[in-house]
């Protein structure tokens, strides 16, 4: 079930976990400094929300383009099902978020 590369070097997962912890630490330090310097005003949130929205739109197009490429080169295998699950999660999260924000207005 596990890939041969992973079985030969499982320590890579430890490096990834350490990297995630480092990124999380940097995020909280940066957030704390930003709050003290009042960087997070209304304009910041408006720009970031618009950027996040466009990012999701672009990601949806990228996923729809990579789907046939994965089928052509890899066949219907784990990568195909992973992309399908990511696409379904993307749509479900979008629907839940849209319903949530629609109910707030």
């Amino acid at each position: 079930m596990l890939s041969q590369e992973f079985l030969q070097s499982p320590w890579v997962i430890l490096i990834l976990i350490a990297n995630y912890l480092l990124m999380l630490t940097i995020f909280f330090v940066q957030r704390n400094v930003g709050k003290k310097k009042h960087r997070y005003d209304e304009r910041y949130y408006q720009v970031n929300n618009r950027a996040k929205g466009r990012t999701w739109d672009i990601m949806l197009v990228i996923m729809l383009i990579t789907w046939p490429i994965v089928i052509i080169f890899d066949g219907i295998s784990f990568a195909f099902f992973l992309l399908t699950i990511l696409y379904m999660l993307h749509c479900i999260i979008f629907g839940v978020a849209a319903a949530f924000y629609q109910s707030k207005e």
Side-chain angles (χ1 to χ4, degrees), residues 1-101:
M1 179 160 181
L2 299 174
S3 70
Q4 191 63 29
E5 292 85 13
F6 174 73
L7 291 175
Q8 291 175 354
S9 56
W11 51 268
V12 173
I13 296 296
L14 293 175
I15 293 174
L16 284 173
I17 292 171
N19 187 33
Y20 293 151
L21 290 174
L22 177 67
M23 289 189 317
L24 192 63
T25 304
I26 291 171
F27 170 77
F28 283 119
V29 168
Q30 180 268 339
R31 188 85 175 154
N32 222 2
V33 169
K35 282 184 180 180
K36 287 179 183 175
K37 294 186 177 185
H38 305 289
R39 290 185 188 154
Y40 303 113
D41 57 354
E42 186 176 326
R43 185 178 184 288
Y44 167 83
Y45 287 109
Q46 181 183 9
V47 168
N48 273 347
N49 287 338
R50 290 181 71 193
K52 288 175 189 176
R54 287 293 167 222
T55 303
W56 275 104
D57 294 343
I58 293 168
M59 191 63 202
L60 176 63
V61 171
I62 290 171
M63 288 172 66
L64 292 175
I65 290 171
T66 56
W67 233 342
I69 293 172
V70 167
I71 292 173
I72 290 169
F73 290 106
D74 200 26
I76 297 180
S77 63
F78 176 73
F80 171 77
F81 289 111
L82 182 63
L83 275 175
T84 303
I85 290 169
L86 287 175
Y87 175 73
M88 289 170 50
L89 282 173
H90 168 79
C91 292
I92 290 169
I93 291 169
F94 176 75
V96 169
F100 175 75
Y101 288 115

